[in-house]
């Protein structure tokens, strides 16, 4: 189901290590077109979302951008990395509106978190297996209000090994320095999984090589 650039599904998830998070945060600004993808997501936000859930928030960069673009947003920013949670808490520390919570994406989304107008994620869901991605998409749908939207800015699989290698070159990496925790799935598969989960208006709204903005709405 996944493209040829998918990595070993049994690989350890390196993101629990603080130095892995620090390495990413140090390099993030150099990832080509990353800001463009996030800007596309922010541009497509509904006019007045109230509750927002950010899955794999890291240091809260996406939730921060959403709050900057839409006043009055509250919600939950979750991650499983202590390093990232500390940084997200530092970002939202003075805000009573954003709860920063530990959550392992392999576990079901807690029903007690309630409902959201918007669920977002940036470059996080590709760290779980394809089976878990599919289940998670169904859980996201269940946590959305009717008409609520899901935007997943994601690292997706290239359709060929050659294109994957070209992508790595373009971000200054090699197969040896690439993230072994990646479990990449193609845009096509993921749009199918979103439709199968029950999302409508499913589309890929933006893409540059292996970076893509996948979206759907709850009917
Ligand atoms: C590439 S970083 C992206 C962080 C942030 N969303 C951003 O756009 O900069 C991936 C994030 O996913 C988190 N993550 C990876 N696997 C996870 C898992 N199984 N459960 C929860 N969070 C996970 C990492 O801790 C990290 O914060």
């Amino acid at each position: 189901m996944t493209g040829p650039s998918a990595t070993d599904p049994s690989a350890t998830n390196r993101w629990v290590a603080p130095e892995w998070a620090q390495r990413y945060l140090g390099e993030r600004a150099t990832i080509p077109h990353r800001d463009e993808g996030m800007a596309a997501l922010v541009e497509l936000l509904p006019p007045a979302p109230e509750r927002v859930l950010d899955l794999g928030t890291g240091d809260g960069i996406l939730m921060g951008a959403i709050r900057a673009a839409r006043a009055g947003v509250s919600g939950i920013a979750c991650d499983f990395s202590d390093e990232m949670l500390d940084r997200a808490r530092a970002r939202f520390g003075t805000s009573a509106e954003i709860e920063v919570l530990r959550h392992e994406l392999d576990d079901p989304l807690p029903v007690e978190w309630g409902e959201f107008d918007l669920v977002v994620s940036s470059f996080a869901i590709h760290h779980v297996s394809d089976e878990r991605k599919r289940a998670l998409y169904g859980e996201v749908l269940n946590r959305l209000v009717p008409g609520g939207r899901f935007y997943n800015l994601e690292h997706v699989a290239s359709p060929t090994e050659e294109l994957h290698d070209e992508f790595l070159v373009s971000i200054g990496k090699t197969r040896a320095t690439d993230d072994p925790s990646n479990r990449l799935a193609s845009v096509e598969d993921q749009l199918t999984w979103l439709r199968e989960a029950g999302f409508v208006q499913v589309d890929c709204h933006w893409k540059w090589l292996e970076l893509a903005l996948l979206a759907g709405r709850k009917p």
Side-chain angles (χ1 to χ4, degrees):
M1 293 289 285
T2 50
S5 56
T7 48
D8 177 4
S10 65
T12 309
N13 188 328
R14 303 284 296 273
W15 287 90
V16 282
E19 52 276 15
W20 203 255
Q22 289 156 5
R23 184 184 97 143
Y24 166 73
L25 293 173
E27 293 174 347
R28 182 170 62 193
T30 69
I31 301 171
H33 301 277
R34 188 197 176 285
D35 291 349
E36 193 183 307
M38 203 167 82
L41 189 162
V42 170
E43 192 183 322
L44 291 169
L45 291 174
E50 290 179 10
R51 281 201 92 219
V52 179
L53 170 62
D54 182 7
L55 300 170
T57 194
D59 64 345
I61 187 171
L62 177 57
M63 184 66 104
I66 291 171
R67 279 166 57 78
R70 296 289 185 273
V73 159
S74 65
I76 293 175
C78 70
D79 205 286
F80 77 161
S81 148
D82 287 332
E83 177 74 20
M84 291 300 201
L85 289 166
D86 285 349
R87 289 171 186 255
R89 288 194 180 106
R91 184 188 293 270
F92 302 120
T94 55
S95 140
E97 293 88 14
I98 302 299
E99 275 186 281
V100 177
L101 299 178
R102 175 183 306 281
H103 179 70
E104 159 63 72
L105 288 174
D106 276 321
D107 296 336
L109 288 182
V111 174
E112 56 270 25
W113 283 1
E115 290 189 321
F116 299 88
D117 304 295
L118 180 67
V119 178
V120 295
S121 186
S122 55
F123 308 112
I125 294 173
H126 68 279
H127 296 114
V128 300
S129 69
D130 288 357
E131 188 184 2
R132 179 64 196 134
K133 288 182 190 86
R134 298 179 76 163
L136 180 58
Y137 289 167
E139 291 163 21
V140 167
L141 188 84
N142 288 339
R143 298 267 54 77
L144 282 169
V145 299
R149 299 184 190 188
F150 178 39
Y151 289 120
N152 183 17
L153 181 61
E154 188 56 301
H155 184 176
V156 299
S158 281
T160 67
E161 296 286 355
E162 191 173 327
L163 289 175
H164 180 52
D165 285 330
E166 286 178 17
F167 170 75
L168 290 176
V169 169
S170 72
I171 62 165
K173 292 206 183 294
T174 63
R175 290 199 180 224
T177 59
D178 195 17
D179 184 353
S181 340
N182 287 348
R183 298 172 182 193
L184 307 182
S186 71
V187 167
E188 289 90 340
D189 282 348
Q190 298 199 72
L191 296 182
T192 299
W193 299 339
L194 287 167
R195 290 187 190 103
E196 285 173 356
F199 282 96
V200 295
Q201 309 297 340
V202 170
D203 200 2
C204 173
H205 289 315
W206 173 91
K207 189 170 184 294
W208 176 75
L209 302 184
E210 292 188 4
L211 312 186
L213 176 57
L214 312 175
R217 298 179 194 179
K218 183 164 176 166

